[in-house]
Amino acid sequence: MIKTETAVQVSLKIEAMIDGEFERFTFQEAGRLVSLNDHQHYLTYTEHQAGQATPVRMRLDAGALSVTRNGARRTRLQFNPQEPTLSHYRTEYGVLSLQVETAEAVSEMDWAAAQGHLRLRYRLRNESGLIGNYYLDLSFER
């Protein structure tokens, strides 16, 4: 297996509309672009917010977009514009099932230059109904 790692600067904006309340989060973080065998690409970084550090890993390959957050609660969301995906959200009270409905997934990646841009629009649902609407805008570069 051939593995390459490149240090990058990550810019991330997340907007959420949950129960009629709008929230916006922005992050500027140091990260690493990891490529395995030139066909699997991961972006890893740590989000710092309100005194908490949350490690994040994003898989950025077409057909295999996902975000994994490993904080106090572990979340892994998979994004597929063709069909909803199922995920699980681990809490101190147990595991909750989530449905991810991806409305938009646009990526522009230049692996050789270690830079890229990703935009995602998606909805999260659970068995009770709509949790919220989300927009993620990510860019990274050397």
Side-chain angles (χ1 to χ4, degrees):
M1 173 171 57
I2 299 170
K3 178 180 176 181
T4 61
E5 290 190 37
T6 306
V8 294
Q9 184 63 35
V10 177
S11 297
L12 176 65
K13 176 173 72 172
I14 300 171
E15 296 177 350
M17 182 64 78
I18 303 169
D19 291 330
E21 303 258 341
F22 179 79
E23 294 183 87
R24 175 181 288 148
F25 304 95
T26 58
F27 302 94
Q28 302 288 323
E29 305 287 358
R32 302 205 60 75
L33 179 63
V34 179
S35 297
L36 302 176
N37 296 326
D38 290 330
H39 68 275
Q40 291 180 5
H41 302 91
Y42 298 88
L43 182 65
T44 62
Y45 60 93
T46 300
E47 291 177 357
H48 296 90
Q49 178 183 348
Q52 286 195 318
T54 304
V56 178
R57 184 184 72 213
M58 300 181 85
R59 180 148 183 207
L60 298 173
D61 300 307
L65 284 171
S66 66
V67 175
T68 304
R69 285 189 166 84
N70 286 305
R73 296 174 180 90
R74 184 179 188 279
T75 308
R76 182 169 185 263
L77 303 177
Q78 294 179 286
F79 302 97
N80 181 344
Q82 275 63 49
E83 63 185 4
T85 61
L86 293 177
S87 184
H88 299 92
Y89 182 59
R90 297 183 200 283
T91 72
E92 58 271 12
Y93 305 108
V95 179
L96 303 175
S97 294
L98 297 175
Q99 181 173 321
V100 182
E101 298 173 355
T102 307
E104 176 186 28
V106 177
S107 66
E108 302 162 8
M109 303 295 167
D110 183 341
W111 304 122
Q115 65 185 27
H117 188 207
L118 172 67
R119 287 186 318 273
L120 291 170
R121 288 191 190 281
Y122 61 98
R123 287 180 223 48
L124 291 181
R125 296 183 183 276
N126 63 15
E127 50 279 337
S128 300
L130 180 67
I131 295 171
N133 293 295
Y134 299 83
Y135 173 70
L136 179 148
D137 189 332
L138 168 87
S139 61
F140 63 91
E141 62 185 7
R142 253 182 243 228

